[in-house]
Structure formats: structure tokens, C-alpha cells
Amino acid sequence: MTKQIEIKVPDIGDFSDIPVIEVLVAAGDVVDAEQSLLTLESDKATMEVPTPVAGTVKQVRVLLGDTVSEGDLVVIVEAEDVAESQEAESVEAEKPEDKPASDTRPAPATAPAIPPRPQALSARPAPPSTGSRQSPPVPMGAGRTLPGKSPYASPAIRRFARELGVDLARVNGSSRGGRIIREDVIGFVKSVMTGSAAPASSGLGFELPPLPKVNFSRYGDIELEPLSKIQKISGSYLHRNWVRIPHVTQNDLADTTDLEAFRKDNAAKAMEQGFKLTPLVFLIKASVAALKKFPTFNASLDESGENLVLKKYFHIGIAVDTPNGLVVPVIRDCDQKDIFELAAELLDISQRARDGKLKPVEMQGGCFSISSLGGIGGTSFTPIINAPEVAILGVSRASVSPQWDGEAFKPRTMLPLSLSYDHRVIDGANGARFIRYLAECLENHESMDL
Ligand code: CAO
């Protein structure tokens, strides 16, 4: 048998007109006995109003921000399996026609998602009828817990967070005074699932303050554009790599005047085969030569962080800019391919990357990556290491500039190179040696196995 039970604000001491700071249920919700329905907050304390019975919420008679006092009707619950003894205590909820003349609150025919705002809720009503059932309020403590000491959240939110395994210390509260509400916990879980939340315990020896929450529409028109799936995935990996790897970026210039002449001489041959011969294939070859000379660059730290895994193969990842974001397909065995084979493969993977047709396996197993922005411009940048690799080469746009040859300034084509390396594995001197050697390979292209 079911009965409608009025839940009223219980004895809350000497307080009246207390703001409702959380409405934890809506019409139609199924609630357990002792489940919190509302959170009230006075200047001195925060407390919850639980339901004494399990059942279904029929009406919620308050809205967020309303003020209530002892005895105010706040929720009507249709109780299940009410025992005989309890039935005696419970009363049926007032039907609209039964309502006293003073109560002008509209009673919806069906339970609305957002109930009509009750009138005169702040006016002290008659004492609770004997038929109403109350559980004592659940205080949060004599005063609020200040943000920064421990998370400021109601017991219901703490329970909700516990159920989801969320550490409230990591959640930013968006409500008044930094209080954490249900939406904050849900937002946090979403950000963890999409990889945009900070790591649980950074283990980095420092904690960062949260990013500011800004309502940009206060300053002008805006529109929301969701990040692509690739952006979300690569964004979290880039963030991880940037934060977890101590990067150093070493810049250098390679004189590619002679190489450019050689490239142009061979451009027609490449075009006959249907692809362009860009500087990138020579950079792949120079990288292979430098990796052979400096094996610690062709390595990864193992899981313990105590050993280097030295690789005997030369698979080079190429950062490709696609309409959906950055991807890094890997060209395998670059030491065994000539510049024409590399150019053909480069065209193939960059086309398929842009068409979203790369297989996951084609983006795995790289030893070292190249990010070339030379087709666009720039003079230098800091590429982010593609873990578990330990170094990455950034390439900017070559330009002709006067270079002093000991006797005179000569116009030379200079290619800017930026090498980021993992300083846990590679020291600064070797970083400088690696990029200089790579530049010399480009400057003396005959020395390379093209
Ligand atoms: N200096 C001067 N010119 C250069 C150059 C350089 N370093 N590198 C390329 N060029 C020229 C090419 O020769 C080509 O000239 P033509 O049109 O006259 O033939 C033009 O620039 C365009 O080259 P490209 O970009 O199409 O070809 P590529 O082989 O250099 O690069 C690819 C291929 C797939 C790597 C590139 O298209 C790309 O996506 N680059 C972006 C990578 C990226 O986003 N990196 C950032 C990662 S971090 O967010």
C-alpha cells in the first residue's frame, strides 16, 4: 500500500528563513529512507533534510534559493510498503481541493520536472501536523569547512563522490563560497574520462591551482565548438608529455643551399612518379644518420625508469596536420628506404591521415619524430616529445640570408632546426652534438645514404 507523506523542515534550532542551497531530488525520483532531499545553509551551519521513508518523490515544493523555516512543507514522497503502525503516523498529501484557503500553491496534476515556486514559504506555517513524518536534520558541522582546508560539500555530495570514487579534494566547487555541488562532481568525472583533468596525484612535487572559470559571454558574443576526438586524445597525451618530461629545446641552423640544389635537380624525377620531393625526406635521412651516431636518442626509458631500451631499428614518426587535429604516423625502416621511397610513403600516409584512414598500428612503434612546419613558416618552436621517445625534431621554414664565409657575406639557404630532448636521458652537450651532426649531414648530403 502507498501513502503520500509530507516532508517538512524539522526542528533546526533557533534558525528561520534558511536558504535552500541544494535541491537533491526531483519529482519522479525514487528515494531510500534517510536519503537527503535538500540542503539548507544558515550563516553558521549546513544541514540536510532527509526523507524518513523510502518511496517516490511526488512533489518538490521548494526551489534553490528559497528560504525555509521549521515546519515548512518541502517535499511530498509517495511511500512504499507503509506498515500499519507507520500508516497511523502518515497522512495523505493534500489534494488540491483539500488545500486550506491560505495555501495558494498550485498543485500540478502530474508531477512537473520543475515545480511551481511555492508561495509564502518564508512565512512560518502552522506547526507540523501529527501526520507529517520527519527525520532530524543532518548537520554538516557547526560551521562550513573553509575551502582550502578540506572540500566544502554536503554529506549527500560526499556520498555521491564516494560512490563514484571521486576525491573531492580534486574538485572545484562552483557554488557560493566554493561549495561543491553535484554538477561539479559530474563535470569532474567527465573531465577525467576525456583526459582533461589533472593527474590524481601528480607525483611531481607541486600542485597547480585550478584554471579560472570564466563566463566569456559576459564580455561579448561567443559560440561553442566541441573539440574533435583526435584533439581530445592527442591533447591529453601532449599535456602528459609536456608535464612529465623535462624538455630542453636546442636550436640550430643548417646551411641547405647545396641540398636545395640537389633536391631541385631530383624534383622532376619525383614528379614523374607522382609525388613531390620536399626537404622532409632529407630530414628523415639526416635523422637516421644522427640516431645511428647517437644511440641514446634512439631509445626509451623502461617502466622502472632505470634502464634505457636501445632500439636497433629506425622508425620515424611524422607529425601530420589534419582537419581533425594532429596525428603522427610512423614510417618504418627509414634506414632501408631511399628518398624516393620515403617521399612516396610520406604522400601516402599524410593523405590517409587527412582522410582519417590510418590504422592505429601505423601510429605506433616510432623511435624519433619530426614535426615540420617548414611548409607554413616560422623561425623556431618547441616541439613536444612524443613519449616514450626521448627526442623530437622541429623544422621551420628555410630562408636565404647573408652568411659570413670568412671573407664575405654570401646568400645561403638556412634551415632552422629545433631539437627537444628528454633531459633525464640526454644531457645538454649531447643534445647540441646531435643537432649539429644532423645539420652537418644536411650540409654534406653526399655523406648520407640517400
Ligand atoms: N622550408 C621551406 N620550404 C619548405 C620546408 C622548409 N622547411 N618544408 C617544406 N617546404 C615547402 C615544400 O617544399 C613545399 O613546397 P612546394 O609547394 O613549392 O613544393 C611546401 O613547403 C609545402 O610542403 P608540405 O608541407 O606540403 O610538405 P612536407 O613534405 O614539407 O610536409 C607534412 C608534409 C605532412 C609533414 C605537412 O604537410 C604537415 O602536415 N605539416 C604540419 C606538421 C605539424 O602540424 N606539426 C606541428 C605538430 S605540433 O602541433
Side-chain angles (χ1 to χ4, degrees), residues 14 19-20 24 54 62 78 105 113 123 125 159 164-165 177 191 223 225 231 307 326 353 373 380 391 393 396 402 411:
D14 292 334
V20 176
L24 302 167
V62 287
E78 188 170 75
R105 279 169 287 189
R159 192 164 50 245
L164 297 176
S191 68
E223 67 176 54
E225 184 179 293
Q231 281 177 310
N307 303 296
L326 174 73
L373 296 173
S380 70
L393 181 69
S396 298

Side-chain angles (χ1 to χ4, degrees), residues 276 278-280 319 321 326 350 354 371-375 396-398 415:
K276 284 198 290 191
T278 66
L280 191 48
D321 178 33
L326 174 73
S350 53
R354 287 177 182 133
S371 175
S372 175
L373 296 173
S396 298
R397 193 168 187 77
L415 178 67

Side-chain angles (χ1 to χ4, degrees), residues 166-401:
V166 169
D167 174 7
L168 281 179
R170 299 176 60 204
V171 180
N172 297 322
S174 66
S175 191
R176 192 157 57 100
R179 202 169 50 77
I180 299 167
I181 57 174
R182 192 182 168 87
E183 286 66 30
D184 297 328
V185 177
I186 293 169
F188 175 80
V189 171
K190 280 187 185 163
S191 68
V192 168
M193 297 308 289
T194 57
S196 56
S201 168
S202 70
L204 300 168
F206 62 86
E207 292 301 332
L208 298 172
L211 291 171
K213 287 186 178 178
V214 179
N215 178 1
F216 298 100
S217 62
R218 285 177 58 200
Y219 309 109
D221 287 347
I222 58 167
E223 67 176 54
L224 278 188
E225 184 179 293
L227 292 180
S228 70
K229 198 172 161 199
I230 290 178
Q231 281 177 310
K232 285 188 205 160
I233 295 169
S234 64
S236 67
Y237 289 139
L238 288 167
H239 186 196
R240 177 200 63 191
N241 297 347
W242 182 246
V243 171
R244 292 198 167 261
I245 301 174
H247 281 65
V248 177
T249 303
Q250 176 80 18
N251 296 302
D252 208 335
L253 285 168
D255 182 337
T256 55
T257 313
D258 298 341
L259 177 66
E260 272 300 286
F262 177 79
R263 182 176 75 86
K264 282 174 185 155
D265 285 348
N266 285 279
K269 187 175 162 191
M271 283 308 272
E272 279 165 23
Q273 297 174 62
F275 44 80
K276 284 198 290 191
L277 201 60
T278 66
L280 191 48
V281 288
F282 299 95
L283 285 152
I284 294 172
K285 279 297 188 184
S287 298
V288 169
L291 290 173
K292 283 185 175 170
K293 176 127 177 116
F294 299 92
T296 53
F297 283 75
N298 193 12
S300 291
L301 277 171
D302 73 0
E303 279 174 28
S304 71
E306 292 181 1
N307 303 296
L308 264 189
V309 180
L310 298 168
K311 297 159 199 169
K312 308 291 180 190
Y313 48 86
F314 299 88
H315 303 339
I316 307 291
I318 305 293
V320 178
D321 178 33
T322 80
N324 289 323
L326 174 73
V327 290
V328 188
V330 174
I331 303 184
R332 288 175 199 275
D333 300 315
C334 293
D335 54 326
Q336 295 165 34
K337 293 173 181 165
D338 68 25
I339 48 172
F340 297 101
E341 289 170 303
L342 290 174
E345 200 163 330
L346 186 60
L347 176 70
D348 172 54
I349 56 162
S350 53
Q351 260 176 7
R352 286 193 297 117
R354 287 177 182 133
D355 295 342
K357 291 191 174 149
L358 285 175
K359 297 183 197 114
V361 69
E362 293 180 286
M363 290 178 274
Q364 294 163 2
C367 305
F368 177 85
S369 293
I370 301 178
S371 175
S372 175
L373 296 173
I376 301 168
T379 55
S380 70
F381 64 102
T382 304
I384 298 177
I385 297 164
N386 189 14
E389 297 165 17
V390 294
I392 179 169
L393 181 69
V395 184
S396 298
R397 193 168 187 77
S399 62
V400 178
S401 63

